[in-house]
Structures are given as C-alpha cells and as structure tokens.
Amino acid sequence: MSPGRRTPRPARFRRFARSFRSGWSARPVAPREGAVTAAVFLLALGSGAADAFSFVALGAVFTSVMTGNLVLLGVAVVHADAGGAVRSVVSITAYATGVLGAASWLRDTSPAGAGPWPGRVVAALAAVPVAQATVLAGWLAAAARPGTAPQVALIAVAAAAMGVQSTAVNALAVSGAATTYLTGTLTSLMTETATTGSPLTMRRRAAVLAAALGGAALEAVLLTWGRPVAPALPLLAALTVVAAMTVGRAVPRPRRS
C-alpha cells in the first residue's frame, strides 16, 4: 500500500460512525460512565411509568412532573375542582418532602466515593423501591380500584419516592443524569445538538428521554391488560438499579500499579 493512501475503514465501523454524525461522536464509553447511563436509563423508565400510572389510575396527577402539577392545580382552582386541587397539592408537598429528606441525608456526600456509587446515594435510592412496594401493596389491597382517600395516599407515597430519587441522582453530579424533570433535559439536548455538546452527555440525555417515553408506554400497556400489577414496573426498575449499585460497591476495585 502506498504511503499516501488511506486505509479503508471496516464497513461495521462506518455504519457505527454514521449514526453519530452532526456533533455525535463514536467514542467508547468508560465503564463508570456506562454504569451511570444504565442506572439513569432504568430510573427514568421507572419515573415515566410512575407518572403514567398516577395520571391514568390515581386521578390525573403526576408524581414527578411538578410543573405539570402546578398547571393542574391552577386549572383545578379556577374550576372549583376540590379533588383535583387536593391531589396536586398532596403530590407537590410529598415530592418536596422527599427532596428535603434526601437532601438532608446527602448533604455531605461526595460523588468521588467507592466506584461510581457513593454509599449514601445507594441508601437514599433504596428508599425508592420500598415506597413503590408500598404503592403496589396499597393498590392490590384496593383490588386495583382505589377510592379517593387511598388514591391520595398512594400519590403521596409515590411522589415522595420521586423526590428522593431526583435528589439522589443529582448527588451523583453527572451531566445529563436527570431522571424526572425532563423538559430541561430536552432543552439541553437540542442546544447541544445545535452547538458543540459532549457526545457522551448527549447520548445519555437521549437515552433518558427515550426511557421515560418507553416507561410510560409500558405502564399504559399494564394498566390496560395487566392492571393488578401495574405499579410493579417502577418498582422493578428502581429495585434493579439499587441491586446493581449494591453489587457494584461490593466488587473490589483493581489497584493501580
């Protein structure tokens, strides 16, 4: 081969590179970053499922989208819808309480702990599947048709869990790792696509948005054809993440020579 002639790239690499044009790079993801992306993907899937569940089955209210709840509260007040107002207020209050409690617990947490998972973050996230298991138990106790008071109680527990989850993910201090308030994620992704955003962060943001959409769609399927187990999806997503984090912390890290 002549010195000035370029070596042709394998077809597989060319296909991979084409999918990351226009500011998207094909750089490999480091193990730590890949683990974080997988975790936020599952947590975003769970939050999308939780919001779909609460909106469809608990009286048209969200458990992680507080902007939506503020809008719903304003509409409920104007239309004198006491039930809608109570649900929105309970969700907002419970979410804020979850944030305050988790923030207090994580106040002195540094993301530079053992591996990518600081112990206090894992402990805070462990409260999420516990709360979601409580939602599932209450749902089953009401034969998947809870009345007004049980609905409000389930909203409170689920929204508090989402507040804890949001705060714990924030404590990881990783770009593009939001799992609940996703309007900002979409805004950042579009801005980075138009400018010079980090390819890794852009892929993570896109994965989070896709996960929330997929979680909501899967939850809608469960509510239609598997209603008794509908709250199990966000529970399984959070439980998987907590289990993986716990195992990851237990695996010894290789020593540097």
Side-chain angles (χ1 to χ4, degrees):
M1 182 180 293
S2 61
R5 190 174 179 181
R6 296 180 62 185
T7 303
R9 293 178 296 180
R12 183 178 179 183
F13 180 82
R14 288 199 301 270
R15 289 195 300 270
F16 185 69
R18 278 198 300 268
S19 67
F20 291 90
R21 287 177 179 172
S22 301
W24 291 68
S25 168
R27 291 181 298 174
V29 179
R32 180 184 186 278
E33 301 295 348
V36 172
T37 299
V40 298
F41 179 89
L42 285 172
L43 292 174
L45 185 147
S47 69
D51 275 323
F53 171 73
S54 62
F55 192 86
V56 174
L58 300 180
V61 70
F62 299 106
T63 52
S64 78
V65 185
M66 294 302 112
T67 303
N69 283 337
L70 289 171
V71 172
L72 293 172
L73 176 58
V75 172
V77 168
V78 170
H79 289 277
D81 179 6
V86 167
R87 286 178 174 84
S88 295
V89 168
V90 166
S91 185
I92 294 168
T93 303
Y95 182 92
T97 301
V99 170
L100 287 171
S104 298
W105 170 254
L106 297 168
R107 182 177 300 158
D108 300 321
T109 299
S110 169
W117 314 127
R120 280 184 171 260
V121 171
V122 178
L125 282 174
V128 176
V130 171
Q132 290 165 338
T134 303
V135 172
L136 176 59
W139 177 255
L140 292 173
R145 301 285 178 183
T148 300
Q151 282 182 359
V152 171
L154 295 179
I155 289 167
V157 176
M162 290 296 98
V164 171
Q165 175 178 305
S166 296
T167 309
V169 171
N170 281 348
L172 293 174
V174 177
S175 298
T179 62
T180 52
Y181 38 90
L182 300 182
T183 301
T185 298
L186 178 60
T187 302
S188 297
L189 177 60
M190 293 300 99
T191 301
E192 290 162 350
T193 301
T195 55
T196 55
S198 162
L200 173 60
T201 300
M202 293 164 69
R203 290 196 295 270
R204 182 176 292 141
R205 294 193 203 280
V208 164
L209 292 169
L213 175 61
L218 288 172
E219 187 63 31
V221 170
L222 287 175
L223 284 168
T224 303
W225 289 287
R227 191 176 179 87
V229 296
L233 180 56
L235 167 60
L236 289 175
L239 195 59
T240 300
V241 170
V242 172
M245 286 181 170
T246 302
V247 171
R249 281 182 55 82
V251 174
R253 300 174 66 188
R255 294 183 179 180
R256 294 182 179 178
S257 56

